[in-house]
């Protein structure tokens, strides 16, 4: 039995292109920040060093607030053909369960985090699944970690997709200053939830997460629960049950550096045994019905708890209503931690 399961030499071109598109996404997030930094630093050792000085001055002194003020989305970038190949690799689908009124603003809560939020990126940061046609009049802004907007060049790459940072200033700017029809997409479980991204696991970190609830109440934006069936199936991860020594070490590192040091593997580009490329597993992203929110400038703890409980109930119902369609055993329950 071969130690490495190599891909056949004869594979249809479209499948090669799909793998290349997925590799671009994952490797850009793993190494894009480093590459951008090295490019700018490298210019200082050439006659083109004024370009590096100009870029750094512009990016961090003049343009530094752009990630917090709505970003700089590019429809050209969002509609690139490469994202269609990315979608078809898994494939990823977007499922609408109810209409969204474009005269309102929304806070989408995305669950679960998975390893690198493939479903969230495909549906909300590109037009691969035709979000603007499925939800006409709604402009989504996917909000990743603030640290991703620090590295040179990489910050501009991710902003072109419509991403903004997940700070309070950024969220409130989008929901109050950009007019109706705008939405923020928050991966509620955060980086810590990536430690639970094991195939067959339906465990979320949600009980202590109230910031997105408070954001909705302060801005009057409706809440929209979103569940991605298949997000946790894309990689294998080293066993790290809650309370284990490995999980404790991972949590300590994650709280210091913000990123989750997840020990995972998928497949490679030319073989199926190991690597950083996800498995070809379907990801079905179901967008639930919106939850109306009354604007309250300073909500009380009781008001926050009530809306938080309502959100959890709606999310659980969304999971129960759709799990059978996506091969989740009937006995499986959504675990809220």
């Amino acid at each position: 039995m071969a130690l490495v399961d190599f891909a056949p030499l004869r594979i249809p071109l479209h499948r090669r292109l799909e793998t290349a598109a997925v590799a671009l996404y994952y490797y850009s997030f793993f190494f894009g920040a480093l590459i951008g930094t090295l490019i700018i630093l490298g210019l200082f050792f050439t006659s083109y060093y004024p370009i590096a000085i100009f870029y750094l001055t512009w990016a961090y002194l003049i343009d530094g607030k752009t990630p917090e003020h709505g970003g700089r989305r590019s429809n050209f970038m969002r509609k690139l053909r490469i994202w269609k190949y990315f979608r078809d690799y898994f494939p990823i689908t977007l499922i609408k369960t109810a209409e969204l009124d474009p005269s309102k603003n929304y806070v989408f809560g995305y669950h679960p985090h998975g390893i690198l939020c493939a479903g969230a990126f495909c549906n909300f940061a590109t037009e691969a699944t035709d979000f603007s046609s499925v939800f006409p009049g709604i402009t989504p802004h996917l909000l990743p970690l603030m640290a991703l907007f620090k590295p040179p060049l990489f910050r501009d790459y991710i902003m072109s997709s419509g991403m903004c940072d997940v700070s309070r200033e950024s969220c409130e700017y989008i929901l109050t200053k950009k007019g109706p029809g705008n939405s923020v997409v928050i991966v509620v479980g955060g980086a810590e939830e990536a430690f639970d991204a094991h195939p067959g696991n339906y465990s979320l970190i949600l009980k202590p997460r109230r910031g997105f609830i408070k954001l909705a109440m302060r801005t009057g934006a409706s809440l929209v629960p979103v569940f991605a069936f298949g997000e946790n199936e894309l990689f294998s991860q080293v066993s790290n049950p809650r309370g284990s020594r490995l999980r404790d070490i991972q949590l300590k590192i994650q709280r210091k550096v913000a990123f989750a040091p997840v020990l995972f593997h998928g497949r490679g580009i030319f073989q199926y045994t190991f690597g950083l490329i996800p498995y070809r597993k379907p990801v079905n992203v179901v967008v639930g019905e919106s939850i109306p929110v009354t604007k309250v400038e300073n909500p009380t703890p009781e008001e926050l708890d009530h809306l938080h409980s309502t959100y959890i109930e709606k999310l659980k119902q969304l999971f129960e209503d759709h799990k059978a369609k996506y091969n989740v055993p009937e006995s499986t329950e959504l675990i809220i931690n």
Side-chain angles (χ1 to χ4, degrees):
M1 184 177 183
L3 294 177
V4 179
D5 182 15
F6 287 99
L9 293 177
R10 294 180 177 274
I11 287 183
L13 177 60
H14 72 89
R15 287 178 68 88
R16 293 290 191 196
L17 293 173
E18 290 164 9
T19 302
V22 170
L24 172 65
Y25 170 72
Y26 281 91
Y27 282 106
S28 68
F29 272 88
F30 291 135
F31 306 113
L34 175 61
I35 293 171
T37 301
L38 291 176
I39 289 173
I40 294 300
L41 289 177
L43 289 176
F44 279 103
F45 296 94
T46 71
S47 58
Y48 297 103
Y49 70 90
I51 296 177
I53 295 174
F54 172 79
Y55 173 81
L56 292 174
T57 302
W58 171 77
Y60 299 106
L61 296 181
I62 300 173
D63 193 57
K65 284 289 186 180
T66 299
E68 298 174 357
H69 289 170
R72 188 167 48 249
R73 72 196 298 117
S74 164
N75 284 329
F76 171 78
M77 289 293 290
R78 288 175 59 88
K79 293 180 179 180
L80 286 176
R81 177 64 186 171
I82 191 171
W83 305 132
K84 298 286 187 181
Y85 289 118
F86 179 90
R87 173 201 65 193
D88 294 340
Y89 173 89
F90 300 91
I92 293 174
T93 57
L94 177 66
I95 298 96
K96 177 173 71 172
T97 62
E99 297 292 339
L100 295 181
D101 184 352
S103 68
K104 299 179 180 179
N105 290 330
Y106 299 91
V107 175
F108 287 78
Y110 185 89
H111 314 269
H113 185 285
I115 297 297
L116 254 184
C117 308
F121 173 79
C122 185
N123 285 305
F124 302 110
T126 81
E127 282 295 322
T129 55
D130 301 312
F131 181 93
S132 61
S133 297
V134 177
F135 294 103
I138 307 298
T139 302
H141 298 81
L142 181 60
L143 307 183
L145 290 171
M146 292 182 283
L148 293 178
F149 296 93
K150 302 301 182 184
L153 299 181
F154 185 70
R155 67 187 290 277
D156 304 288
Y157 164 65
I158 62 174
M159 275 198 292
S160 69
S161 68
M163 293 189 197
C164 302
D165 79 35
V166 74
S167 66
R168 173 179 166 179
E169 179 182 355
S170 173
C171 294
E172 292 190 352
Y173 183 93
I174 293 168
L175 296 174
T176 61
K177 300 288 175 54
K178 290 179 68 67
N182 278 280
S183 66
V184 296
V185 183
I186 300 174
V187 184
V188 178
E192 184 180 340
E193 195 173 82
F195 298 134
D196 289 321
H198 294 271
N201 185 32
Y202 296 93
S203 176
L204 306 179
I205 297 176
L206 185 52
K207 286 182 180 178
R209 304 292 201 238
R210 283 172 163 72
F212 76 109
I213 299 292
K214 189 173 185 179
L215 169 69
M217 296 192 75
R218 286 174 58 88
T219 61
S222 298
L223 287 162
V224 182
V226 180
F227 197 90
F229 292 91
E231 187 74 64
N232 283 349
E233 309 299 316
L234 303 183
F235 291 95
S236 297
Q237 186 177 169
V238 173
S239 178
N240 60 342
R242 292 172 181 271
S244 67
R245 184 171 178 79
L246 175 57
R247 176 68 74 97
D248 290 342
I249 293 172
Q250 288 177 314
L251 286 172
K252 288 179 181 178
I253 296 174
Q254 185 263 325
R255 287 163 185 165
K256 286 184 179 295
V257 302
F259 293 98
V262 183
L263 302 177
F264 71 95
H265 75 85
R267 49 159 290 192
I269 297 176
F270 301 109
Q271 44 77 26
Y272 303 131
T273 307
F274 59 88
L276 299 178
I277 305 299
Y279 303 125
R280 282 183 180 265
K281 298 288 184 68
V283 180
N284 297 285
V285 179
V286 184
V287 180
E289 186 177 356
S290 65
I291 304 169
V293 177
T294 301
K295 185 175 181 179
V296 181
E297 186 65 30
N298 294 299
T300 65
E302 292 75 20
E303 290 172 325
L304 287 171
D305 288 344
H306 176 71
L307 183 56
H308 189 259
S309 297
T310 299
Y311 179 87
I312 290 176
E313 289 173 9
K314 295 292 185 181
L315 179 63
K316 284 185 172 181
Q317 190 61 53
L318 183 70
F319 178 80
E320 290 296 325
D321 289 346
H322 295 272
K323 66 181 183 182
K325 302 174 187 176
Y326 305 114
N327 301 316
V328 178
E330 188 63 33
S331 60
T332 302
E333 294 183 4
L334 187 62
I335 300 172
I336 306 296
N337 296 297

